[in-house]
Amino acid sequence: MRYSKNEYFAFSDQDDYWLPEKMTLCLKYLHNLEEKYGKKSPLMVYTDMSVTDSNLKITASSFLENSGKEKIGDSVQELLITSVAAGCTIVGNAELRKVIVKATDNVFDEKILMHDWWTLLVAACCGHVLGIRTPTVLYRQHNTNSVGAERYNVFSKIRNQKENARKYWASCKQAELLYNKLGEFMPCKKKEHHRRSHFNNVCQ
């Protein structure tokens, strides 16, 4: 991103498959956001995906539904705890890229959990995010996935309490880093929402 000079950017995972309409659809909604908020606002859109096996045979038509994330909104409060945007579905504008680059002085900071989650949070805190529920990517599952299509439900949370606790506190540390690095870029209202959400999360 530091070397990109274009008006828009998109992330790509080499093992996934973009559907032909992906960029056209994403840019359409991104342009709508620009008309509403202006090009000087950090803006990002993301889409749903269809989950497939290693041969691109669809096993779940919606990643968001399959993972239990379909009801999570695009508010700062919700996104601080759970990431809903897969990197290969993200498209953002130049203003978002500028904010990310300026505020991310150490891309290997262990508090930054994933590049896509960090991008999503920067956009949500400093600008605007829009989730599109149309799948535009075939999310290929195989033995070497970095993350994979996990399923979230009550039973998995109970069964994996220790791991879920670790992820929860890691998300709190990421939220703290976000506030420290991006406070100057956040609109006052969102800055206060972030501060309250982080404080409430740590005290729960």
Side-chain angles (χ1 to χ4, degrees):
M1 294 182 74
R2 205 171 288 278
Y3 296 102
S4 174
K5 304 296 181 184
N6 292 320
E7 193 172 359
Y8 304 102
F9 70 88
F11 295 133
S12 176
D13 294 341
Q14 65 269 27
D15 53 351
D16 300 318
Y17 183 90
W18 287 14
L19 296 176
E21 66 274 15
K22 177 185 184 296
M23 289 305 299
T24 301
L25 181 69
C26 289
L27 287 175
K28 172 188 172 182
Y29 283 98
L30 202 52
H31 291 156
N32 289 342
L33 289 179
E34 288 178 336
E35 290 179 6
K36 186 175 181 179
Y37 300 109
K39 287 190 175 184
K40 289 300 181 181
S41 179
L43 303 171
M44 189 197 102
V45 299
Y46 68 94
T47 74
D48 200 350
M49 307 181 289
S50 292
V51 183
T52 78
D53 62 16
S54 59
N55 296 314
L56 294 181
K57 180 181 179 181
I58 294 177
T59 57
S61 59
S62 169
F63 164 77
L64 293 173
E65 290 182 7
N66 188 62
S67 62
K69 298 181 178 181
E70 76 278 9
K71 294 182 180 180
I72 297 174
D74 295 327
S75 68
V76 172
Q77 294 91 327
E78 293 175 280
L79 299 179
L80 283 171
I81 299 301
T82 305
S83 177
V84 294
C88 56
T89 73
I90 289 175
V91 179
N93 68 352
E95 197 63 29
L96 174 59
R97 185 185 69 240
K98 290 176 185 176
V99 174
I100 293 172
V101 169
K102 188 172 183 179
T104 313
D105 50 0
N106 178 14
V107 297
F108 299 107
D109 193 317
E110 62 181 12
K111 291 181 180 178
I112 298 177
L113 300 180
M114 290 291 288
H115 71 286
D116 46 14
W117 197 355
W118 184 250
T119 299
L120 174 65
L121 289 175
V122 173
C125 289
C126 301
H128 301 276
V129 172
L130 177 64
I132 305 166
R133 297 314 186 210
T134 302
T136 64
V137 173
L138 299 183
Y139 187 29
R140 194 195 309 258
Q141 299 298 290
H142 49 75
N143 293 333
T144 56
N145 284 108
S146 295
V147 178
E150 300 176 323
R151 296 191 180 189
Y152 297 87
N153 54 52
V154 175
F155 299 107
S156 65
K157 288 181 178 180
I158 294 174
R159 187 170 57 249
N160 302 312
Q161 287 187 34
K162 186 175 182 179
E163 177 62 14
N164 289 323
R166 184 195 65 78
K167 290 180 179 179
Y168 174 78
W169 288 111
S171 71
C172 290
K173 291 179 181 179
Q174 180 174 243
E176 181 181 28
L177 178 67
L178 186 76
Y179 187 84
N180 292 334
K181 292 291 186 182
L182 292 166
E184 64 178 290
F185 300 103
M186 296 183 191
C188 292
K189 187 175 180 180
K190 289 193 176 184
K191 188 174 183 179
E192 180 61 18
H193 282 325
H194 182 289
R195 188 190 68 79
R196 289 181 178 179
S197 296
H198 176 56
F199 179 78
N200 290 337
N201 289 337
V202 170
C203 292
Q204 284 178 353

